[in-house]
Amino acid sequence: MRRPLRAIAAAGLLAAGSIVAVALGGTASADTQICEQFGSTTIQNRYVVQNNRWGTTAQQCINVTGTGFEITTQNGSNPTNGAPTAYPSVFFGCHYTNCSPGTNLPIQVSQISSATSSISYRYVSGAVYNASYDIWLDPTPKRDGVNQMEIMIWLNRQGAIQPIGSPVGTTTLVGRTWEVWRGSNGANNVISYVAPSPVSSLDFSVLDFINDVKNRGAITSSWYLTSIQAGFEPWQGGAGLAVTSFSAAVNGGGNPTTPPPTTPPPTTPPPTGGSGCAVKYTPNAWNNGFTADVQITNTASSAINGWTLAYSLPAGQQVTSSWNATVSQSGSAVTARNVSWNGSIAPGGTASFGYQGTLSGAYSSPTSFTLNGVACARR
C-alpha cells in the first residue's frame, strides 16, 4: 500500500531519503529479487530491505542478500535540481508501520545507553546518486507517517546534487570532518552531514550525530529514535550500487527524561530586566543566510500554558523555515508560537525552537523579546 510522499524537492533542493513502504514481505534466506515499487523483505530476522521506488515510474529492481542488497536495474532518470528516483535501503526500527523484527524502537533518546552501527557500500561510476544513512526522530514514539527530524549522513555524493537547505558550517564527528547543512522540506526538518570525499565503510556511534543535532537545538532528549536506515538516492543510473553489509544495535539503560522542577531552583535567581521569562538567542550566520536557536525559560512561579514569543529581526533578515515552533514574519516583526507538544513550560523549565533564514548585509541579533505580551530578559 502506497504511503504519502514525505518530501517534495524544490529547485536546487534534495528530497530526503526514504518515503514509502509496504507491509513486510518475506524473509530473504537466499538472494531475493524485488522489483515491486514498494516491495520489501527481511534479512537476518532483524532488518528490513525495501525497494522504495517513489520518485519515478521507471523500473527499479534490487537483489537482496543475507547481509544487504544491490541495485540490479535502475531505469529512472530525474533532473538533479529535483527529487531522486528512489531510496532503496535497509533499516532497523519502524518506517510507515513496517517495523523490523524484534526491534526496540521507538526509544526515547534519554533512555539510550548506546547506539552503534556499521555499514559498507560498493560504488559505481557514471551515475548520479548519494549514499545516504538516515536517522529518524520524532517527539512521539511514532511508528507511521512522517517524523519531524531527519538526520542524513552523506557518505558519497556524485553529480550536481545537494542536501536540503543551506550549509551552516563544519563539524568533526566519528573522527571525520563533515559539512553541515540545515533546512526543511516542508514536511520535516533535515540536518545533513556531507563527507568531503567518498566513504566506503563506517563503524560508528549513532549517538554522536544525535547528540550533535540535540546540541544545535533541533531536538531534545525527550524525543524518540524511530529508525536507522542506509541506502542510496539515485537520480540517474545506479545499477551495481550495493550495501554489502549493515548492522545496527540500540541499547536502553540510559537516563530517562525527568520532568522539570515545579519551582525555580533556589540557587538561580531570576535574571534582571524581565518579568517571568528569559530568552537565550544563539545565531549561526554565513554570507547569505543564518540559523537561530531560541531557548525560552519560565522564571515565574506558575506554569506557562501556551506561548507566543514576539520580537523584531534586523533589516535584511527573512525567515524561511522553522522547527519546534510555528514562526511567521510580517516586515521585521516575528511571531513564534508553540506547537502541540511544547506549549507548557513549568516554572524553571524551558522550551526551545529554531529557524533558518536568508541574510542581506551584516548580521545582528534581535535585541528584545516579549512572551505572551511580557518583556523577557536576555540570557
Side-chain angles (χ1 to χ4, degrees):
M1 180 172 61
R2 178 168 181 165
R3 301 289 178 183
L5 299 184
R6 69 160 176 76
I8 299 175
L13 298 182
L14 161 69
S18 58
I19 301 203
V20 216
V22 295
L24 287 172
T27 298
S29 54
D31 288 8
T32 300
Q33 189 86 350
I34 299 179
C35 296
E36 292 83 6
Q37 185 174 8
F38 305 123
S40 68
T41 189
T42 61
I43 61 174
Q44 303 176 34
N45 197 33
R46 182 172 175 82
Y47 309 116
V48 176
V49 179
Q50 58 181 357
N51 194 28
N52 203 9
R53 174 177 56 82
W54 63 268
T56 180
T57 58
Q59 187 182 49
Q60 172 180 279
C61 297
I62 60 174
N63 183 63
V64 182
T65 69
T67 59
F69 69 90
E70 176 185 353
I71 301 175
T72 55
T73 304
Q74 171 51 262
N75 295 328
S77 180
N78 284 358
T80 57
N81 64 346
T85 62
Y87 184 54
S89 51
V90 54
F91 70 84
F92 175 77
C94 294
H95 176 73
Y96 281 85
T97 71
N98 191 359
C99 294
S100 58
T103 184
N104 58 343
L105 304 187
I107 184 173
Q108 201 168 42
V109 170
S110 63
Q111 296 178 343
I112 300 174
S113 60
S114 65
T116 57
S117 187
S118 180
I119 180 74
S120 294
Y121 289 98
R122 185 175 70 239
Y123 299 134
V124 299
S125 58
V128 177
Y129 65 91
N130 76 49
S132 175
Y133 191 107
D134 277 18
I135 303 166
W136 284 95
L137 301 111
D138 196 80
T140 64
K142 198 166 190 177
R143 292 175 173 84
D144 62 345
V146 178
N147 286 193
Q148 290 192 23
M149 185 71 235
E150 179 185 17
I151 303 171
M152 294 187 74
I153 307 172
W154 286 45
L155 295 166
N156 190 0
R157 171 169 55 171
Q158 296 296 314
I161 56 176
Q162 69 179 45
I164 286 172
S166 303
V168 294
T170 60
T171 190
T172 300
L173 294 171
V174 298
R176 294 178 178 272
T177 299
W178 309 85
E179 185 180 58
V180 184
W181 291 60
R182 188 164 183 169
S184 172
N185 59 35
N188 57 268
N189 300 310
V190 187
I191 295 181
S192 301
Y193 299 84
V194 182
S197 59
V199 178
S200 59
S201 64
L202 194 66
D203 190 351
F204 69 106
S205 169
V206 174
L207 275 179
D208 287 357
F209 289 91
I210 292 175
N211 287 334
D212 187 75
V213 168
K214 184 173 67 173
N215 291 338
R216 295 173 187 273
I219 66 167
T220 69
S221 294
S222 65
W223 283 47
Y224 290 81
L225 172 64
T226 63
S227 69
I228 298 169
Q229 310 178 353
F232 299 95
E233 290 183 323
W235 272 256
Q236 298 163 16
L241 293 170
V243 171
T244 57
S245 68
F246 171 82
S247 67
V250 179
N251 298 310
N255 297 314
T257 299
T258 56
T262 56
T263 57
T267 58
T268 305
T272 59
S275 176
C277 55
V279 172
K280 181 180 179 181
Y281 191 92
T282 307
N284 183 12
W286 56 98
N287 58 349
N288 59 357
F290 72 101
T291 60
D293 293 315
V294 186
Q295 183 182 80
I296 304 167
T297 299
N298 179 7
T299 60
S301 58
S302 59
I304 296 171
N305 294 304
W307 51 264
T308 298
L309 187 71
Y311 53 97
S312 294
L313 283 179
Q317 298 182 23
Q318 181 65 47
V319 175
T320 57
S321 62
S322 61
W323 46 93
N324 301 344
T326 300
V327 181
S328 59
Q329 182 175 356
S330 176
S332 63
V334 173
T335 302
R337 293 181 173 86
N338 67 273
V339 290
S340 59
W341 49 267
N342 67 355
S344 296
I345 312 176
T350 62
S352 299
F353 70 94
Y355 57 91
Q356 181 168 323
T358 57
L359 174 65
S360 175
Y363 175 83
S364 59
S365 294
T367 57
S368 61
F369 302 84
T370 61
L371 186 72
N372 296 343
V374 177
C376 295
R378 287 291 305 275
R379 281 188 169 173

